[in-house]
Coordinates of all heavy atoms in Angstrom, one line a residue:
F864 N -28.2 5.8 -9.0 CA -27.0 6.6 -9.3 C -26.0 5.7 -10.0 O -25.7 4.7 -9.4 CB -26.5 7.3 -8.1 CG -25.3 8.3 -8.4 CD1 -25.5 9.3 -9.3 CD2 -24.1 8.1 -7.8 CE1 -24.4 10.2 -9.6 CE2 -23.0 9.0 -8.1 CZ -23.2 10.0 -9.0
C933 N -19.0 12.0 -16.6 CA -17.7 12.0 -15.9 C -17.0 10.7 -16.2 O -17.6 9.7 -16.7 CB -17.9 12.1 -14.4 SG -18.6 13.7 -13.9
L935 N -15.7 8.8 -13.9 CA -16.3 7.9 -12.9 C -17.3 8.7 -12.1 O -17.4 10.0 -12.3 CB -15.2 7.3 -12.0 CG -14.2 8.2 -11.3 CD1 -14.9 9.1 -10.2 CD2 -13.1 7.3 -10.7
Y936 N -18.1 8.1 -11.2 CA -19.1 8.8 -10.5 C -18.8 8.7 -9.0 O -18.7 7.6 -8.5 CB -20.5 8.3 -10.9 CG -20.8 8.7 -12.3 CD1 -20.5 7.7 -13.4 CD2 -21.1 10.0 -12.7 CE1 -20.6 8.1 -14.7 CE2 -21.3 10.3 -14.0 CZ -21.0 9.4 -15.0 OH -21.2 9.8 -16.3
C937 N -18.7 9.9 -8.4 CA -18.4 9.9 -6.9 C -19.7 9.8 -6.2 O -20.7 10.4 -6.5 CB -17.7 11.3 -6.6 SG -16.4 11.7 -7.8
Y939 N -20.7 11.0 -3.5 CA -21.2 12.2 -2.8 C -21.5 13.3 -3.7 O -21.6 14.5 -3.3 CB -20.2 12.6 -1.7 CG -18.8 12.8 -2.4 CD1 -18.5 14.0 -3.0 CD2 -17.9 11.8 -2.5 CE1 -17.3 14.2 -3.7 CE2 -16.7 11.9 -3.2 CZ -16.4 13.1 -3.8 OH -15.3 13.3 -4.5
C940 N -21.5 13.0 -5.0 CA -21.5 14.1 -6.0 C -22.7 15.1 -5.8 O -23.9 14.7 -5.7 CB -21.6 13.5 -7.4 SG -21.8 14.8 -8.7
L941 N -22.4 16.4 -5.8 CA -23.4 17.4 -5.7 C -24.4 17.4 -6.9 O -25.5 17.8 -6.7 CB -22.6 18.8 -5.7 CG -23.5 20.0 -5.8 CD1 -24.4 20.2 -4.6 CD2 -22.6 21.3 -6.0
R942 N -23.9 17.0 -8.0 CA -24.7 17.0 -9.2 C -25.3 15.6 -9.6 O -25.5 15.3 -10.7 CB -24.0 17.7 -10.4 CG -23.5 19.1 -10.0 CD -23.7 20.1 -11.2 NE -23.6 21.4 -10.7 CZ -22.4 22.1 -10.6 NH1 -21.3 21.5 -11.0 NH2 -22.4 23.3 -10.1
V946 N -25.7 14.2 -13.3 CA -24.6 13.5 -14.0 C -25.0 12.0 -14.3 O -25.7 11.4 -13.6 CB -23.2 13.5 -13.2 CG1 -22.7 14.9 -13.0 CG2 -23.4 12.8 -11.9
G978 N -19.6 20.4 -14.9 CA -20.5 19.3 -15.4 C -21.1 18.6 -14.3 O -21.6 19.3 -13.3
G979 N -20.9 17.3 -14.3 CA -20.1 16.5 -15.2 C -18.6 17.0 -15.4 O -18.2 17.8 -14.6
D980 N -18.0 16.6 -16.4 CA -16.6 16.9 -16.6 C -16.3 17.3 -18.0 O -16.5 16.6 -18.9 CB -15.7 15.7 -16.2 CG -14.3 16.1 -15.8 OD1 -13.7 16.8 -16.6 OD2 -13.9 15.7 -14.7
R1010 N -12.2 16.7 -12.8 CA -11.6 15.7 -11.9 C -10.7 14.7 -12.6 O -10.2 13.8 -12.0 CB -12.7 14.9 -11.1 CG -12.2 14.4 -9.8 CD -13.1 13.8 -8.8 NE -12.2 13.6 -7.6 CZ -12.4 12.6 -6.7 NH1 -13.4 11.8 -6.8 NH2 -11.5 12.4 -5.7
H1038 N -9.8 18.2 -8.3 CA -10.6 17.8 -7.2 C -9.9 16.5 -6.6 O -10.3 15.4 -6.8 CB -12.0 17.5 -7.6 CG -12.9 16.8 -6.7 ND1 -14.3 16.6 -7.0 CD2 -12.8 16.4 -5.4 CE1 -14.9 16.0 -6.0 NE2 -14.0 15.8 -5.0
Ligands
SF4_369 S1 -16.2 14.0 -10.9 FE1 -17.3 15.8 -9.9 S2 -19.2 16.0 -11.2 FE2 -18.3 14.0 -11.6 S3 -19.3 12.5 -10.2 FE3 -17.4 13.2 -9.2 S4 -18.0 15.0 -8.0 FE4 -19.7 14.6 -9.5

Side-chain angles (χ1 to χ4, degrees):
F864 183 55
C933 292
L935 53 67
Y936 294 95
C937 313
Y939 55 86
C940 176
L941 167 67
R942 303 222 167 88
V946 294
D980 203 308
R1010 206 173 185 209
H1038 172 179

